Amino acid sequence: MAVDSLIELRGVNKYYGQSHVLQDIDLTVSRGEVVVVIGPSGSGKSTLCRTVNRLETIESGRILIDGRPLPEEGRGLARLRAEVGMVFQSFNLFAHRTVLANVSLAQIKVRGRKKEDADRRSLRLLDRVGLASQADKLPAQLSGGQQQRVAIARALAMDPKVMLFDEPTSALDPEMINEVLEVMRQLAREGMTMVVVTHEMGFARSAANRVVFMADGRIVEDRTPDDFFTAPESERARDFLSKILKH
Amino acid sequence: MDVLTQNFSLYARGFLGTLELTVYASLLALALGFVMAACRVSPVGSLRALGTVWVTVLRNTPLTLLFFAVVLGLPRFGLVLPFQLFAVLALGCYTSAFICEVLRSGINTVPVGQGEAARSLGMSFGQTLGGIVLPQAFRSVIPPIGSTLIALAKNSAIAGAFSVTELLGTYKPLNEMGYGIVWTFVWIAVGYLIITLAISGLFHVLEKRYGAAR
């Protein structure tokens, strides 16, 4: 196995009642790698993403982050989550706090930074995602694309080792998708380790090192984007691609 | 009118008694209700069980029975306190069960994603609840908490039956002195109205200031 693996899933199984939503998942993500997870809805790709920081618990198997097993609920888990940035489909910005406070809050409460230091850093990050001028607004006053960029800045403020993106553009109007993807592309270029669940095939082609194709709770293919998009091996992947790439 | 002016100090003592009971029991109910609501949504199973038992027992016990339990029960365990303190305990604990449920329903109005986002940033359960969830829950629970505290103010009348000086109890000496029952009670009602309308007013202001904008 690669020595420099940052995320390692071994034989992971998860059930929702009777349905077996993750079936014997093995997946390794190396440092600096961008892995895009695609697949039809209900295939378990979001669930997979959420197991990595234990927002979803698993029934069996092992998950290692940077060589250490994922801790149980408690302080250890909170510490680990601070190292793993997460961006949600529905942004989940703290609705009662300003944009700046959203980015600063966890830096102050979890990292113990002074408010001025945290705010300075937050403004730098907001500037990087092009939103420094919106720092004093409430999340509801921003467009979806802007909110998602704030959410990315909020996650980056913790200096995470890896970023998880759970369908970050699925709730956005088409014209706003690109501004978010551009921020993500830039992150990928800078060498951030990323796991991205998405339906944006263009992003998968241009930014991913590997494409993981899931169907019915299993990883069906795990290959480079070129290989996957030009010559999918499985019938399931061919069928999926033919449906989404037609138009 | 005579009954009020001639017995003003009696009324005033009763009024103050009810006011004190209401204020202290409210503070106790809010604090305990807050703790119990935190227990009921906590990730620790035993705390959740504690919260559930607390609410189930206190919410389903008649308040008068609870007063008997506290006033007659606690001294058996060597705990002898002034009657007023017993009354605050009984009223506060009883009402805390309702406050707990109001807070919990408020917590449930906050989208799950808010808590998930906070946890994904490494915030602890306490930080998530105190910094993210409760401030947003607070906006939607202001009106029902107001109602619960108004009910508490009126429930405090039961303490009169347990030798605590409070407003309703003033009718007994007045009655013995031969005053007409109607005016005696009219002024008692006015006393309660002052307290309950003050609570409504306070919560109206809170709602204006902190309530969910729509």
Side-chain angles (χ1 to χ4, degrees):
Chain A
M1 207 72 266
V3 192
D4 213 16
S5 64
L6 198 49
I7 303 176
E8 232 183 296
L9 284 82
R10 289 284 158 266
V12 169
N13 281 285
K14 176 170 181 70
Y15 300 83
Y16 282 128
Q18 288 294 310
S19 65
H20 197 170
V21 290
L22 293 180
Q23 308 186 18
D24 297 317
I25 300 286
D26 291 313
L27 179 69
T28 306
V29 180
S30 306
R31 206 176 298 275
E33 213 177 8
V34 177
V35 173
V36 167
V37 184
I38 62 176
S41 56
S43 60
K45 52 194 193 308
S46 275
T47 311
L48 175 71
C49 186
R50 289 161 56 87
T51 57
V52 175
N53 66 355
R54 213 172 183 273
L55 283 180
E56 300 283 355
T57 53
I58 57 173
E59 267 69 47
S60 68
R62 288 195 313 151
I63 299 177
L64 301 169
I65 309 281
D66 213 1
R68 280 172 309 174
L70 202 57
E72 293 286 302
E73 209 70 44
R75 277 182 202 290
L77 182 62
R79 253 197 303 281
L80 177 123
R81 279 172 174 157
E83 308 287 328
V84 179
M86 178 133 193
V87 175
F88 299 86
Q89 178 176 356
S90 48
F91 329 135
N92 294 347
L93 292 180
F94 305 135
H96 62 308
R97 305 300 296 269
T98 63
V99 165
L100 182 66
N102 262 276
V103 185
S104 291
L105 191 66
Q107 295 185 64
I108 297 166
K109 291 210 171 187
V110 178
R111 288 280 188 242
R113 292 182 189 143
K114 282 213 268 312
K115 187 174 182 304
E116 305 83 71
D117 297 344
D119 282 348
R120 207 173 313 126
R121 185 173 160 68
S122 301
L123 280 171
R124 224 174 23 243
L125 283 164
L126 285 171
D127 189 44
R128 188 167 141 191
V129 298
L131 291 169
S133 59
Q134 316 285 327
D136 296 324
K137 290 193 179 165
L138 286 172
Q141 295 170 295
L142 304 188
S143 73
Q146 289 173 324
Q147 288 191 51
Q148 195 60 298
R149 284 186 282 154
V150 173
I152 294 173
R154 178 175 70 177
L156 288 176
M158 303 300 286
D159 305 310
K161 290 178 185 161
V162 52
M163 289 279 285
L164 308 173
F165 291 85
D166 183 6
E167 303 204 21
T169 57
S170 298
L172 296 176
D173 288 343
E175 77 230 65
M176 292 170 185
I177 290 176
N178 252 324
E179 64 189 52
V180 171
L181 290 181
E182 194 39 58
V183 171
M184 290 167 61
R185 277 198 196 93
Q186 196 193 331
L187 264 181
R189 278 198 295 273
E190 288 164 11
M192 175 61 80
T193 311
M194 295 162 65
V195 175
V196 185
V197 176
T198 187
H199 294 293
E200 294 299 323
M201 297 304 142
F203 178 81
R205 265 177 194 279
S206 64
N209 300 109
R210 272 160 58 203
V211 170
V212 169
F213 176 74
M214 286 187 74
D216 305 320
R218 291 178 191 280
I219 292 181
V220 181
E221 298 201 29
D222 180 352
R223 309 166 65 199
T224 65
D226 267 355
D227 284 354
F228 178 75
F229 286 110
T230 50
E233 274 171 355
S234 60
E235 184 55 41
R236 198 75 184 75
R238 274 196 293 275
D239 179 52
F240 177 73
L241 286 175
S242 73
K243 275 178 188 150
I244 55 166
L245 294 179
K246 218 171 261 171
H247 37 252
Chain B
M1 197 71 203
D2 289 351
V3 62
L4 180 68
T5 48
Q6 287 165 7
N7 300 284
F8 191 76
S9 69
L10 188 67
Y11 266 116
R13 247 180 296 138
F15 179 80
L16 282 179
T18 292
L19 190 63
E20 275 178 23
L21 276 180
T22 305
V23 171
Y24 294 144
S26 291
L27 293 178
L28 179 66
L30 288 171
L32 269 177
F34 175 82
V35 171
M36 287 303 154
C39 283
R40 290 206 75 175
V41 298
S42 90
V44 184
S46 50
L47 290 179
R48 277 202 304 275
L50 170 71
T52 311
V53 169
W54 181 268
V55 167
T56 310
V57 169
L58 287 167
R59 195 171 57 169
N60 297 314
T61 310
L63 182 55
T64 318
L65 207 65
L66 197 63
F67 265 95
F68 273 117
V70 169
V71 172
L72 303 177
L74 289 183
R76 296 211 170 186
F77 298 99
L79 197 63
V80 183
L81 300 168
F83 278 126
Q84 195 187 27
L85 196 52
F86 276 134
V88 167
L89 274 180
L91 262 177
C93 290
Y94 176 77
T95 313
S96 75
F98 294 88
I99 298 278
C100 167
E101 290 302 89
V102 167
L103 284 176
R104 202 163 62 89
S105 75
I107 288 169
N108 290 341
T109 64
V110 179
V112 182
Q114 295 283 312
E116 283 185 346
R119 284 188 287 144
S120 80
L121 288 164
M123 291 167 73
S124 65
F125 170 75
Q127 289 172 331
T128 303
L129 190 66
I132 306 299
V133 178
L134 280 177
Q136 295 185 62
F138 177 64
R139 307 164 175 211
S140 54
V141 299
I142 296 170
I145 285 195
S147 304
T148 310
L149 295 186
I150 286 173
L152 180 149
K154 295 184 290 185
N155 285 341
S156 71
I158 294 180
F162 295 87
S163 323
V164 178
T165 311
E166 54 77 51
L167 190 55
L168 182 68
T170 53
Y171 87 90
K172 272 180 275 176
L174 292 174
N175 208 16
E176 281 159 19
M177 287 184 263
Y179 288 102
I181 202 81
V182 172
W183 283 103
T184 308
F185 277 114
V186 164
W187 291 114
I188 285 173
V190 169
Y192 278 107
L193 270 178
I194 291 171
I195 291 173
T196 52
L197 288 178
I199 297 175
S200 323
L202 173 68
F203 277 82
H204 185 69
V205 172
L206 285 177
E207 199 186 341
K208 272 268 157 66
R209 190 156 152 65
Y210 299 106
R214 42 182 70 246

